[in-house]
Amino acid sequence: MILSNIYTPKQIEILKACRTTDWFMLVNHGAKRSGKTQLDNDLFLQELMRVKGIANTLGIDTPQYILAGYTLGNIQDNILTELSNKYGFEFKFDKYNNFTLFGVKVIQTSHGSLSGLGRIRGMTAFGAYINEASLANQEVFDEIKARCSGPGARIIADTNPDHPEHWLLNDYIKPQADGVLSFHFRLDDNTFLDERYVRKIKATTPRGMFYDRGINGEWVSGNGVVYPNFDKNVHVITLEQAKRIVFDRYLAGVDWGWEHFGAIVVIGVKGDSYYVIEEYAAQHKYIGEWINVAKGIIRRYGNIPFYCDPARTEHIAAFQNAGIRAFLANNRVLSGIEEVATLMTNKQFFIVYDQCPRFREEIYKYIWKKNTGEPLKENDDVLCAIRYGIHSDKTVSTIETPEDRMKKAKRMRGML
């Protein structure tokens, strides 16, 4: 078998380093679609076979290994489904969602919140594979590392870049500590990608932080305004223009407020484009007043979905009790901002500017925090409502359904 037929030069470099180095942790980091996870999935299989060999020499019948992702759903999508498609594996899960492969018991856990600790505390692991490591709760990451105390244990981690003060970068990648291997990926390192795809993805990725991270794999923060590509000459339409469009459907985004502005926006969808056609923003409105606003929107646009800030589940429940189709929004901040920014870059975002005075106030004042890679929580109320609506509409088929998330939130609060 010729390695260059199945692996890129970057991947071959890493494979050789792994075979000639006594490493404890391998961190592959960088651009999306650059080949990190594909390589790490194969290394994961190799590690399981190596672990079984070590366990046999120690007389251990069932060695344990940790497989961690932001959620169990992310593990399924990023790792297990990919391995099933590539090699035909059929994973048989026990009642705890664990499985055995090559004689090694693989314990799945989520690292995005402290709830993942319970699945691994007290165990002795012979290794771990941590997918999307920069999204991990640091305490859970540290616990996974501590559990890997079996002889010869190794940890594989992969991640897209985050902000330059992130603990994963400063504690593991930059120091190049003894036993830690780290490799940086750029999109161009994936030499198997279709040239047209690479050209198009570069052209349609928002410039600035998202390009630096997504294409060049750099750990950078945003500078200046969050949406620098917003252009009144491109993205603004008139009310009369909006009225002439026959939209495929409508949806609403909701950001709750009190001292800061609460906001509801109405968004029309035509093909792949999103049009913000109405805005309601106010301070010091009680939930009953927002229900009246929502019902007015329903009278004009039909029984459309309202994707709501999940921070106030009691408000969402009040909407639902009033007969409004209110759902928990997908509130992943950076991915939601990137979704909206990409629409702007691709000229697929439009707004009836004259009808949205709060948007006009926010769009040039919504800025990034220095160093953290997060937006400043100021001048963001209507912009958050837009993000909730658009990002939820774009991702509803790839995340838990709003109904499932609502039931889960109610159970956590003792409402079911």
Side-chain angles (χ1 to χ4, degrees):
M1 178 179 64
I2 302 175
L3 281 180
S4 59
N5 288 340
I6 57 175
Y7 294 113
T8 67
K10 170 66 76 172
Q11 292 170 331
I12 293 172
E13 174 192 356
I14 296 168
L15 285 170
K16 290 179 178 178
C18 288
R19 291 172 182 170
T20 58
T21 306
D22 181 22
W23 55 279
F24 172 64
M25 183 181 296
L26 168 68
V27 185
N28 289 325
H29 61 99
K32 303 173 185 177
R33 306 299 303 162
S34 57
K36 306 183 302 297
T37 303
Q38 179 199 22
L39 173 64
D40 286 349
N41 286 351
D42 284 357
L43 287 172
F44 164 59
L45 299 180
Q46 293 179 23
E47 282 298 293
L48 292 184
M49 290 184 279
R50 187 185 69 87
V51 163
K52 183 57 178 176
I54 293 173
N56 287 340
T57 64
L58 298 173
I60 297 173
D61 292 333
T62 310
Q64 298 186 102
Y65 191 97
I66 298 170
L67 180 58
Y70 186 76
T71 67
L72 297 186
N74 292 129
I75 296 174
Q76 183 70 45
D77 294 341
N78 297 342
I79 300 172
L80 301 184
T81 298
E82 292 292 330
L83 290 175
S84 294
N85 291 339
K86 188 174 182 179
Y87 298 114
F89 291 122
E90 294 184 7
F91 298 100
K92 296 181 179 180
F93 302 100
D94 63 21
K95 64 180 180 180
Y96 302 108
N97 223 30
N98 305 318
F99 61 91
T100 299
L101 186 62
F102 304 142
V104 180
K105 185 176 182 181
V106 179
I107 310 298
Q108 295 193 75
T109 191
S110 58
H111 61 52
S113 69
L114 290 174
S115 62
L117 289 174
R119 296 179 61 83
I120 60 173
R121 273 194 171 136
M123 70 176 290
T124 297
F126 281 77
Y129 177 11
I130 308 174
N131 181 239
E132 299 183 307
S134 67
L135 300 179
N137 178 285
Q138 188 172 2
E139 187 173 339
V140 179
F141 186 95
D142 290 341
E143 183 69 15
I144 293 172
K145 184 178 68 172
R147 294 297 106 204
C148 293
S149 57
R154 290 172 171 172
I155 298 170
I156 302 167
D158 61 48
T159 185
N160 296 329
D162 209 295
H163 64 83
E165 298 302 320
H166 197 285
W167 56 266
L168 183 65
L169 176 67
N170 290 324
D171 293 350
Y172 294 97
I173 296 172
K174 278 186 177 180
Q176 287 289 286
D178 184 41
V180 177
L181 298 177
S182 65
F183 293 89
H184 170 248
F185 283 72
R186 301 174 71 252
L187 179 69
D188 290 335
D189 286 322
N190 191 344
T191 53
F192 293 139
L193 286 176
D194 177 70
E195 290 184 8
R196 178 180 179 275
Y197 169 82
V198 173
R199 187 170 64 253
K200 293 294 185 181
I201 204 69
K202 287 181 177 179
T204 58
T205 298
R207 296 289 159 170
M209 181 182 71
F210 293 117
Y211 192 95
D212 292 339
R213 291 187 185 181
I215 305 301
N216 296 325
E218 298 174 1
W219 295 69
V220 296
S221 294
N223 293 306
V225 296
V226 171
Y227 294 116
N229 287 345
F230 176 76
D231 185 345
K232 288 174 63 176
N233 295 319
V234 174
H235 301 115
V236 169
I237 63 172
T238 67
L239 182 59
E240 290 305 313
Q241 287 174 313
K243 288 179 177 179
R244 291 196 293 268
I245 299 171
V246 180
F247 290 107
D248 300 329
R249 64 184 189 280
Y250 298 93
L251 59 100
V254 183
D255 185 41
W256 310 113
W258 185 254
E259 287 300 332
H260 68 86
F261 281 74
I264 298 179
V265 295
V266 179
I267 301 170
V269 183
K270 180 67 173 179
D272 294 327
S273 296
Y274 289 76
Y275 296 74
V276 180
I277 52 182
E278 291 188 16
E279 166 205 293
Y280 302 86
Q283 294 171 290
H284 308 139
K285 271 189 180 290
Y286 290 101
I287 187 62
E289 297 174 274
W290 287 115
I291 288 173
N292 290 335
V293 171
K295 286 187 173 181
I297 291 170
I298 291 170
R299 283 193 295 270
R300 292 190 299 282
Y301 297 99
N303 194 20
I304 68 175
F306 286 72
Y307 294 105
C308 308
D309 177 2
R312 300 297 297 272
T313 54
E314 72 276 17
H315 286 358
I316 300 174
F319 263 39
Q320 292 176 329
N321 291 336
I324 299 164
R325 293 178 59 215
F327 304 115
L328 289 169
N330 183 340
N331 66 338
R332 296 282 291 275
V333 177
L334 286 184
S335 57
I337 289 174
E338 184 174 13
E339 195 81 72
V340 176
T342 298
L343 290 174
M344 290 180 180
T345 298
N346 295 343
K347 300 179 182 179
Q348 294 172 326
F349 174 91
F350 303 95
I351 185 165
V352 183
Y353 197 72
D354 290 343
Q355 301 296 311
C356 300
R358 185 65 193 171
F359 176 90
R360 299 199 302 268
E361 179 76 15
E362 293 178 357
I363 187 64
Y364 300 112
K365 296 181 180 179
Y366 188 34
I367 63 174
W368 296 106
K369 292 181 184 178
K370 292 183 178 179
N371 299 323
T372 66
E374 299 174 348
L376 194 65
K377 282 295 296 175
E378 295 177 1
N379 302 299
D380 66 342
D381 307 304
V382 165
L383 293 174
C384 283
I386 292 171
R387 169 169 61 86
Y388 291 143
I390 290 176
H391 195 38
S392 299
D393 186 68
K394 298 276 279 187
T395 61
V396 71
S397 63
T398 59
I399 61 173
E400 294 175 294
T401 65
E403 292 89 345
D404 289 341
R405 296 178 69 189
M406 176 60 75
K407 288 178 181 177
K408 184 185 296 183
K410 286 183 175 181
R411 287 193 193 99
M412 292 175 65
R413 292 173 177 262
M415 298 168 66
L416 284 179

